[in-house]
Amino acid sequence: MQFLKTKFYQPGVNQPSVILRDQLLTRLCSDQNSQIVVVSAPAGFGKTTLLSCWLNSIETKAAWLSLDKYDSNLNGFWRYFIGSVMTVLPETGKTTLGLINSDTPSPIESNLISLINEFSDIKERITIVLDDYHLISEPKIHESLEFFLDHIPPNFQLVIASREDPNLSLSRFRVSGKLLEIRQKDLRFTNIETEDLLNKVYKLDLSKNACASLYQKTVGWIAG
């Protein structure tokens, strides 16, 4: 099976046109105990840009997977998941990928145990971003991902960016201390960030009152 390699490309960030979210970047960088990060908000709140800026600021090995509706297939999802890992750790996941691609594939739990064991052999920390997870509709994928998250080794971090909450037991992960959540209310621009976007980035030279009016009308929605 060939991979569509562009699905593994981390979106570029045009620094002059981006307002750096220092407070959010600090949260992402400082909470090292969070093995699961969920960034959940409707379209246009800057989820992908925030995560790209964050990955550019850390030294951890990081893999990216841009999901689409065609990934809502159990074995296909995990093939691409492993493929994303192999972009930064080329030998990791090969054994499990062979099991998935076998003419007589094993049950998904066996494949995930194999993958978890392969991750356990890695000494360095790795972060994987699943972008646009809301496009995944297959319940078996949610179930398998939850099994995977229940058993991931401490050096592994999974980031899920989605327009809606992923169909996972977030409350259980929240109680266990594994989960960091960044939501719509966190992603909204402040009045100052709105003014910086309009005047420093787009050079519109608007008055403070005009910027404040636009901020009130958009309620911090970046695309708005």
Side-chain angles (χ1 to χ4, degrees), residues 13 15 18-25 50 53 189 193:
V13 176
Q15 292 290 353
V18 170
I19 299 297
L20 292 179
R21 315 297 304 278
D22 291 336
Q23 187 173 358
L24 294 177
L25 291 173
L50 171 68
C53 289
F189 264 4
E193 288 171 330

Side-chain angles (χ1 to χ4, degrees), residues 34-155:
S34 299
Q35 290 183 273
I36 307 164
V37 179
V38 171
V39 182
S40 177
F45 275 92
K47 301 182 292 298
T48 299
T49 300
L50 171 68
L51 292 174
S52 289
C53 289
W54 171 53
L55 293 185
N56 289 341
S57 70
I58 61 177
E59 297 181 356
T60 305
K61 284 189 179 296
W64 189 283
L65 175 56
S66 295
L67 297 166
D68 56 44
K69 63 181 180 180
Y70 301 107
D71 294 313
S72 210
N73 167 279
L74 183 61
N75 284 337
F77 173 87
W78 286 106
R79 285 189 188 101
Y80 267 100
F81 187 98
I82 294 169
S84 70
V85 173
M86 293 174 67
T87 63
V88 291
L89 295 169
E91 298 302 314
T92 301
K94 276 189 174 181
T95 299
T96 308
L97 191 60
L99 294 174
I100 293 174
N101 290 333
S102 170
D103 291 336
T104 55
S106 305
I108 187 62
E109 290 82 5
S110 298
N111 293 337
L112 292 179
I113 289 171
S114 170
L115 184 60
I116 292 164
N117 289 341
E118 289 193 71
F119 278 128
S120 298
D121 292 334
I122 304 169
K123 303 303 179 185
E124 52 199 321
R125 187 172 174 82
I126 178 171
T127 296
I128 297 182
V129 176
L130 301 180
D131 197 17
D132 287 334
Y133 189 80
H134 57 273
L135 296 173
I136 301 300
S137 58
E138 171 54 58
K140 290 183 179 179
I141 294 178
H142 305 314
E143 293 171 10
S144 63
L145 186 60
E146 188 153 317
F147 176 86
F148 178 80
L149 291 173
D150 278 334
H151 302 284
I152 55 174
N155 60 316

Side-chain angles (χ1 to χ4, degrees), residues 194-206:
T194 302
E195 186 174 339
D196 285 345
L197 179 70
L198 296 170
N199 288 338
K200 292 183 179 180
V201 174
Y202 292 114
K203 313 293 184 185
L204 297 179
D205 196 25
L206 299 178

